[in-house]
Amino acid sequence: MPTPFDSFYTVICTDLSPYINWQCELLEYSWSRVNQPGNIVRLVACEETEELPQHRFMEAVRCQPTSHHPESGDYYPPYNRLFSLQEWLQNKDINGSILIIDADVVFQKPLKKLVNPGLPLAQHWLDFGFSDDFIGSIRANSDVAIDKLRPITWPAVIHSDDLRRMLPRWIELTLRIREAIHRQESDMYGFVVAAEELNIEFELG
């Protein structure tokens, strides 16, 4: 019988490395163990000639490998997450709540929280802060007030409508921050700035 959680998606974005594969196995086991409602989806950045992994509960979806930005050529593996999410949303009729997590997450209890457009949830980024180079890169690419930026990161639950709206700017900001300072966490800061620009206000969890 259909339930509201039929439109709840736990989503991870990966490649095919053995290291990631065993993390996915543990994640899937914990997801099943706590009876997490909804669907679990693994977006896999891999070539057409590569075989998709097989899972008991997790749906594996092939996405284009994008560790290198398709325009700039910048090598930054987190691009895979952003472009895979965008490709998945473009190609699938997804309408509902999306839980974005990393492959090394383990469920200790189920997350039973659906969100509506405009009402997303995010984890509190505990060591959130800005170095001078990050501040410079953000000011060069956005009009947001630095003191208005909120300490949000994933795991995050966001409605598919909001994520579709957010991804183009999230991708663009990640690229521009990377071009300016070539640092890790550029995608995390891109996420923060894109949310503020688009007035997508996350509740902190």
Side-chain angles (χ1 to χ4, degrees):
M1 183 174 181
T3 74
F5 280 93
D6 289 344
S7 60
F8 186 97
Y9 301 87
T10 297
V11 181
I12 58 171
C13 306
T14 77
D15 56 20
L16 285 173
S17 71
Y19 178 72
I20 292 294
N21 286 336
W22 72 255
Q23 289 183 335
C24 290
E25 293 294 333
L26 179 57
L27 167 61
E28 181 185 49
Y29 171 78
S30 70
W31 179 90
S32 173
R33 179 85 173 183
V34 302
N35 294 313
Q36 170 63 37
N39 312 276
I40 184 166
V41 180
R42 178 181 178 183
L43 305 182
V44 187
C46 63
E47 301 292 347
E48 290 289 338
T49 54
E50 296 179 293
E51 185 177 351
L52 282 175
Q54 300 295 313
H55 298 285
R56 185 175 178 185
F57 302 108
M58 189 183 300
E59 178 189 5
V61 178
R62 189 186 308 277
C63 296
Q64 290 295 317
T66 46
S67 290
H68 291 86
H69 192 281
E71 294 178 10
S72 71
D74 174 41
Y75 176 75
Y76 183 53
Y79 284 133
N80 269 321
R81 181 201 310 275
L82 281 62
F83 282 105
S84 291
L85 285 169
Q86 189 174 59
E87 182 178 344
W88 177 62
L89 289 174
Q90 287 174 346
N91 293 341
K92 302 287 185 179
D93 186 23
I94 303 299
N95 180 31
S97 301
I98 299 170
L99 170 60
I100 301 172
I101 58 174
D102 289 323
D104 59 0
V105 164
V106 173
F107 281 87
Q108 295 183 316
K109 60 183 179 180
L111 176 61
K112 298 181 179 180
K113 182 68 175 178
L114 300 172
V115 296
N116 292 317
L119 297 170
L121 308 173
Q123 178 174 291
H124 183 216
W125 185 348
L126 293 177
D127 59 349
F128 179 75
F130 293 100
S131 59
D132 289 343
D133 56 355
F134 267 119
I135 291 174
S137 67
I138 291 168
R139 285 180 170 161
N141 292 285
S142 177
D143 293 330
V144 298
I146 299 297
D147 61 354
K148 294 290 183 67
L149 297 176
R150 306 185 72 226
I152 57 171
T153 189
W154 48 90
V157 186
I158 183 171
H159 194 273
S160 53
D161 290 351
D162 290 334
L163 186 56
R164 282 189 177 94
R165 188 160 65 94
M166 190 174 176
L167 273 163
R169 187 57 176 152
W170 184 8
I171 291 170
E172 176 69 13
L173 284 164
T174 298
L175 172 62
R176 299 308 171 202
I177 293 170
R178 281 282 301 167
E179 286 179 333
I181 59 179
H182 305 287
R183 290 266 300 276
Q184 296 296 322
E185 300 180 337
S186 295
D187 58 319
M188 297 173 70
Y189 283 106
F191 181 74
V192 168
V193 178
E196 178 64 23
E197 283 188 353
L198 297 169
N199 296 312
I200 299 175
E201 186 171 344
F202 286 79
E203 177 185 341
L204 291 174

